[in-house]
Amino acid sequence: MLNVLRNIVQEVNGAKDLESALHILVARVQQAMKTEVCSVYAMDQENRRFTLRATKGLNQEAVGNVSLSLGEGLVGLVAVREEPINLDDAASHPRYRYLSETGEERYNSFLGVPIIHHKRILGVLVVQQSARRKFDESEEAFMVTMSAQLAAVLSHAEAAELVLESDHSKDSKIKHDVIIKGAPASPGIAIGTVVVLSPTADLYDVPDRNTENVEEEIHRFQSAIEGARAQIKQVGEKLADLRPEEQALFDVYIRMLDDDALGSEVVRRISENKQWAQGALRDVILEYVAHFDKMDDAYLRERATDIKDLGTRVLAQLQDTIELLPEQNFPDNTILVSEELTPSMLGEVPENKLVGLVSAKGSANSHVAILARAMGVPTLMGAADLPVKQMEGIELVVDGYRGRLYTHPSQKVRDQFQAIVEEENALVEGLEAIKDLPAETPDGHRLSLCVNTGLITDALRSLDRGAEGVGLYRTEVPFMMKERFPSETEQESIYRKQLETFAPQPVTMRTLDIGGDKALTYFPIEEDNPFLGWRGIRVTLDHPEIFLLQVRAMLKASVGLDNLKIMLPMITSVSEVEEAQHLIYRAHQELLDEGVAVTMPQVGVMIEVPAAVYLAKTLSGIVDFISVGSNDLTQYLLAVDRNNPRVAELYDSFHPAVLGALKHIADTAKENNCTISVCGEMAGSPAGALLLMAMGYDMLSMNATNLPRVKSIIRSVDTIFAKALLEEVMVMDNPQIITSTVELALNKLGQGRMLGPTVSA
Ligand code: PEP
Ligand code: MG
């Protein structure tokens, strides 16, 4: 049964559009369930009616012509109750509604299951029989499993359908203003043209793209085949001690590449359809794969894996030849779209051309989103329904405030969003006036507002915004932009630029924080639970050579400037701090011995792990400063993966447990007179900053975009007021109510505009 299920899901997944997906679905389920009828009723989200979209067994003329409202008939009842209905005599059920167009009167038994994706009902899958019998438990279980697995596939196909031009009919029309939702990950509005980037060689991620130069594409394809052939041969030779049957597999691979069928089919598609090589290769390989996958013979089914592997190798070769799109191929207003955006992809687009980012995977707390905020690029993450492959070249509006995108925007939508852009620009210009004024409350409490940086470009932006230094320099960012560990001299020059840019103001450099979702291509860490694994200080203490080299580079870079602070990430135990401090002293001493006149910088730790919250007393006694990484602290306290869009709604730094931890850290560290700051994203949210100030944090570090807003709020709120508000929310148990209470207070103070624009589109 599992195989049948898997095959159906794969086939539906491979369908070229929603209509064929639904046809395949009903045909295959009817066959697998051995019923006379299988139909699917899909919910029209606009009028909330269920229309018969495909059937095997009922009258075909009824398709598209009969529909039921929510709660109407048995289908509507399945949808309302959100559970299966299994009847041996459907007509005798009080809710039965006879649809004469379908010819269903012959069928007595009825089993309907809802198709639900992320709490949203997409449709109802129904099987019917003339024999009067209840479907048994295993049949019902099969249908429930089937519909659960298909929900995501259908939701995806549905979104694709909405976004794309329908190519079945001559009078195809573009649908304007189709909305796709995701998580708002970096505020702002982007209006531009999509460029799709694929992370690694993955056939399923290849976007559609046309070519103007057929000859060149064919040539690229043929060279890629050559490359793949040489590579396979080389791998085969390297593994000389393989068993003969394994060696034979390499020979089979090479013969497959020699076989004209596969290659010539790709070439044919490039020239006839004017498709680029990657797209033609994807189509041919996936058709072969689907063909083999359907075979009942296990050996032949396995060949599907071989073909996919072969196709992926050729694809990797093709990607190598155009690793980067030539600069001129990026439109002026590029919106980068990917199945999974990675930090390094941001570097692929010339900075002056990048206006927006959209990722199907990830969340607002992913590192790529953090970088996007630092760069001020409007971003949408976790847009699970995004039909990435088919989006190349289309026009979009990205609404980074509410987490929505609009495809093929109409003039009306463009105008609405253009008005928001102008309103925002006016706000930013207005905030220019306070750029050089201190972040001081009307009753004289002074706070320091710093920025989080990673690239030199965001460092430069920060100065325009009135930053008083860097509260978090993520050193892993320059590491990610390289193809190997940067040398001591390379690091020294990168760090020097940061330090010089801000001198005499302080720059807090965090030692390398890799692992989790921050991977270095040249130092891969493969783990089942990366966020609970080898991360941050754990990696660098295991590799003192990497740590020492980095610290030496930081210290050398600070000579004569003396504005360096060093910060240790992911601290869980006191012994880690002691070990790291020891290495820092060692590096310092080594440099003194080498005659370099370095001063010992302040050394602090991040509190990001719940264990460290309970060590706040000890930690604040042995370090120069503490900075709370509220992003990871929220993730670990709430046990919510910060990258996982499925649980993104549970991730909330205003959760009372997080606020309680933050307050505890502040109170405890103050007893030891230790300087405390927050450098997670919460510090840059107007409401978060207000509460953190009330808790007594001395410094807040945030992205440059939000800094002027936060300053405006601080300059308008008395500490007495902020403390009273904090007291009020600390006894609340609901994060949403806490947020609303703080935002309402800001509104009353006339600071509502700082929370972001009201979008009415
Ligand atoms: C944090 O965890 O809050 C933090 C600032 O570090 P990062 O987001 O880089 O993990
Ligand atoms: Mg962190």
Side-chain angles (χ1 to χ4, degrees):
M1 223 32 173
L2 198 60
N3 254 343
V4 176
L5 251 166
R6 201 190 64 155
N7 286 343
I8 299 180
V9 173
Q10 270 190 352
E11 246 188 278
V12 173
N13 207 0
K16 65 176 192 309
D17 54 31
L18 182 61
E19 197 181 322
S20 8
L22 296 176
H23 274 108
I24 296 169
L25 168 67
V26 292
R28 301 281 278 135
V29 172
Q30 183 254 0
Q31 200 180 24
M33 291 281 290
K34 301 193 178 58
T35 55
E36 284 145 79
V37 176
C38 176
S39 317
V40 63
Y41 294 80
M43 162 110 153
D44 182 334
Q45 300 294 340
E46 264 168 40
N47 61 19
R48 299 190 64 75
R49 287 184 74 80
F50 292 88
T51 307
L52 177 66
R53 288 290 299 269
T55 182
K56 183 84 192 185
L58 298 182
N59 293 339
Q60 290 304 323
E61 302 81 67
V63 172
N65 294 321
V66 291
S67 70
L68 295 153
S69 63
L70 196 65
E72 187 184 1
L74 293 173
V75 166
L77 189 63
V78 171
V80 168
R81 294 200 359 202
E82 299 188 338
E83 60 181 355
I85 292 183
N86 185 354
L87 303 168
D88 56 0
D89 182 12
S92 68
H93 191 283
R95 295 295 279 275
Y96 177 75
R97 165 122 153 54
Y98 172 52
L99 297 169
S100 59
E101 302 91 327
T102 62
E104 65 176 341
E105 64 278 10
R106 298 192 291 280
Y107 306 107
N108 292 302
S109 47
F110 171 101
L111 169 60
V113 295
I115 307 172
I116 299 175
H117 183 57
H118 287 306
K119 299 187 184 161
R120 185 169 70 97
I121 177 109
L122 301 179
V124 176
L125 183 63
V126 176
V127 284
Q128 290 171 286
Q129 293 263 65
S130 44
R132 260 175 225 267
R133 70 165 186 99
K134 255 191 149 177
F135 289 90
D136 68 27
E137 264 184 34
S138 68
E139 289 169 315
E140 195 176 315
F142 174 82
M143 288 281 283
V144 170
T145 319
M146 185 87 249
S147 108
Q149 290 212 17
L150 282 169
V153 176
L154 291 183
S155 164
H156 209 76
E158 188 194 24
E161 188 82 352
L162 286 172
V163 172
L164 303 171
E165 283 176 77
S166 148
D167 52 8
H168 321 299
S169 59
K170 289 246 158 49
D171 57 344
S172 64
K173 276 199 295 206
I174 294 177
K175 283 221 179 188
H176 293 284
D177 306 334
V178 172
I179 298 174
I180 295 182
K181 292 184 186 163
S186 174
I189 302 294
I191 305 175
T193 310
V194 170
V195 172
V196 176
L197 283 189
S198 323
T200 43
D202 184 342
L203 287 161
Y204 292 96
D205 280 344
V206 171
D208 286 336
R209 197 174 285 170
N210 287 340
T211 179
E212 310 233 302
N213 195 337
V214 167
E215 289 302 305
E216 192 186 306
E217 283 305 289
I218 294 177
H219 176 70
R220 275 201 326 115
F221 173 67
Q222 279 159 348
S223 324
I225 291 264
E226 279 316 309
R229 184 179 287 132
Q231 191 195 44
I232 293 168
K233 228 176 168 163
Q234 208 181 23
V235 175
E237 280 161 10
K238 261 200 210 147
L239 304 175
D241 50 352
L242 281 183
R243 284 177 300 158
E245 54 277 28
E246 283 159 348
Q247 274 292 359
L249 193 63
F250 284 96
D251 295 339
V252 171
Y253 265 29
I254 292 181
R255 275 208 302 279
M256 273 157 105
L257 286 177
D258 285 337
D259 174 8
D260 245 358
L262 204 148
S264 59
E265 180 58 21
V266 177
V267 170
R268 188 184 66 75
R269 287 181 196 221
I270 296 175
S271 43
E272 283 178 15
N273 305 347
K274 305 249 178 308
Q275 240 181 331
W276 71 323
Q278 273 98 318
L281 175 74
R282 171 200 66 196
D283 287 352
V284 171
I285 295 286
L286 293 187
E287 275 166 30
Y288 270 81
V289 168
H291 179 66
F292 278 97
D293 251 347
K294 257 186 278 169
M295 310 231 169
D296 283 323
D297 179 291
Y299 174 81
L300 288 176
R301 259 203 322 275
E302 275 306 302
R303 303 288 62 78
T305 316
D306 295 343
I307 292 180
K308 211 186 290 173
D309 184 34
L310 188 66
T312 309
R313 281 170 191 278
V314 179
L315 178 65
Q317 297 281 334
L318 278 170
Q319 286 186 349
D320 273 355
T321 61
I322 56 135
E323 216 168 51
L324 300 183
L325 280 174
E327 232 175 69
Q328 65 273 23
N329 282 0
F330 285 104
D332 280 344
N333 293 323
T334 295
I335 296 179
L336 209 54
V337 170
S338 177
E339 197 58 48
E340 184 160 21
L341 278 177
T342 60
S344 58
M345 282 181 185
L346 303 193
E348 297 196 10
V349 191
E351 222 204 317
N352 56 353
K353 295 194 169 187
L354 181 65
V355 298
L357 296 165
V358 183
S359 178
K361 293 194 179 139
S363 81
N365 313 297
S366 307
H367 282 94
V368 69
I370 291 174
L371 282 179
R373 286 195 284 276
M375 292 161 73
V377 180
T379 301
L380 189 73
M381 299 287 291
D385 286 337
L386 202 68
V388 174
K389 284 185 296 212
Q390 295 108 331
M391 292 186 71
E392 180 76 23
I394 72 170
E395 295 287 310
L396 284 190
V397 167
V398 176
D399 172 357
Y401 297 108
R402 288 184 310 172
R404 292 177 173 203
L405 61 81
Y406 296 72
T407 63
H408 304 296
S410 61
Q411 197 53 46
K412 183 168 155 249
V413 163
R414 278 172 193 271
D415 292 347
Q416 271 164 344
F417 280 102
Q418 196 52 46
I420 294 166
V421 172
E422 278 153 28
E423 191 188 315
E424 276 299 288
N425 288 346
L427 175 78
V428 172
E429 262 172 46
L431 290 174
E432 270 279 300
I434 58 168
K435 186 183 129 199
D436 297 319
L437 298 178
E440 189 174 306
T441 61
D443 55 353
H445 177 71
R446 178 87 164 82
L447 218 67
S448 163
L449 297 190
C450 291
V451 280
N452 296 345
T453 60
L455 303 162
I456 193 65
T457 42
D458 56 35
L460 296 173
R461 268 187 85 223
S462 314
L463 286 179
D464 298 341
R465 304 276 168 137
E468 294 169 73
V470 177
L472 164 64
Y473 170 50
R474 291 184 166 94
T475 58
E476 58 278 5
V477 177
F479 275 65
M480 283 178 194
M481 304 297 164
K482 293 231 172 298
E483 273 153 20
R484 52 167 175 75
F485 281 111
S487 67
E488 185 175 317
T489 331
E490 281 171 326
Q491 288 188 49
E492 185 187 329
S493 98
I494 297 169
Y495 302 154
R496 181 84 189 173
K497 278 199 198 101
Q498 283 277 334
L499 292 164
E500 273 172 352
T501 305
F502 289 91
Q505 291 169 323
V507 175
T508 313
M509 297 199 173
R510 174 169 77 181
T511 59
L512 190 63
D513 184 22
I514 50 170
D517 66 338
K518 287 181 286 194
L520 301 178
T521 45
Y522 49 90
F523 190 67
I525 302 173
E526 299 279 337
E527 291 176 321
D528 284 345
N529 274 314
F531 278 108
L532 297 182
W534 209 40
R535 267 198 83 183
I537 197 77
R538 301 172 185 181
V539 178
T540 46
L541 287 182
D542 284 349
H543 279 281
E545 76 287 9
I546 297 175
F547 188 83
L548 280 168
L549 195 104
Q550 181 174 39
V551 171
R552 280 175 58 94
M554 287 177 181
L555 293 173
K556 277 165 83 179
S558 74
V559 171
L561 297 172
D562 298 336
N563 57 341
L564 167 71
K565 290 176 163 191
I566 296 181
M567 182 158 80
L568 310 168
M570 274 292 288
I571 292 296
T572 316
S573 304
V574 172
S575 61
E576 290 166 339
V577 183
E578 290 169 343
E579 218 179 305
Q581 281 173 328
H582 173 77
L583 289 172
I584 297 171
Y585 293 136
R586 212 171 98 189
H588 180 237
Q589 192 55 49
E590 270 173 25
L591 288 173
L592 290 181
D593 293 347
E594 288 167 26
V596 188
V598 277
T599 31
M600 182 65 195
Q602 287 191 4
V603 178
V605 291
M606 289 187 78
I607 294 194
E608 311 186 85
V609 178
V613 176
Y614 293 98
L615 294 176
K617 193 161 190 289
T618 322
L619 290 173
S620 55
I622 60 169
V623 296
D624 297 313
F625 64 93
I626 279 182
S627 186
V628 182
S630 56
N631 307 337
D632 275 316
L633 188 59
T634 305
Q635 147 164 281
Y636 292 123
L637 273 176
L638 305 184
V640 174
D641 176 348
R642 61 194 267 192
N643 278 314
N644 184 344
R646 273 204 198 125
V647 287
E649 277 179 28
L650 304 176
Y651 181 101
D652 197 329
S653 298
F654 283 61
H655 189 289
V658 181
L659 294 182
L662 285 161
K663 176 89 173 39
H664 169 80
I665 299 167
D667 293 344
T668 316
K670 284 282 153 198
E671 284 168 22
N672 270 338
N673 288 326
C674 183
T675 311
I676 44 168
S677 60
V678 176
C679 61
E681 295 299 297
M682 185 186 184
S685 80
L690 185 59
L691 294 183
L692 294 169
M693 175 182 83
M695 288 182 193
Y697 282 90
D698 308 298
M699 189 259 270
L700 302 178
S701 192
M702 64 203 69
N703 64 64
T705 314
N706 281 10
L707 195 141
R709 289 170 197 267
V710 169
K711 190 189 276 186
S712 158
I713 282 171
I714 288 169
R715 291 183 55 81
S716 68
V717 184
D718 278 333
T719 38
I720 301 172
F721 177 89
K723 285 194 170 143
L725 185 64
L726 176 67
E727 218 168 280
E728 189 186 338
V729 302
M730 284 309 276
V731 292
M732 294 180 174
D733 57 12
N734 183 317
Q736 272 104 41
I737 297 180
I738 296 177
T739 311
S740 313
T741 308
V742 181
E743 291 187 351
L744 198 69
L746 286 173
N747 264 314
K748 282 196 187 144
L749 286 168
Q751 291 291 316
R753 282 180 75 209
M754 299 304 146
L755 299 170
T758 12
V759 188
S760 59

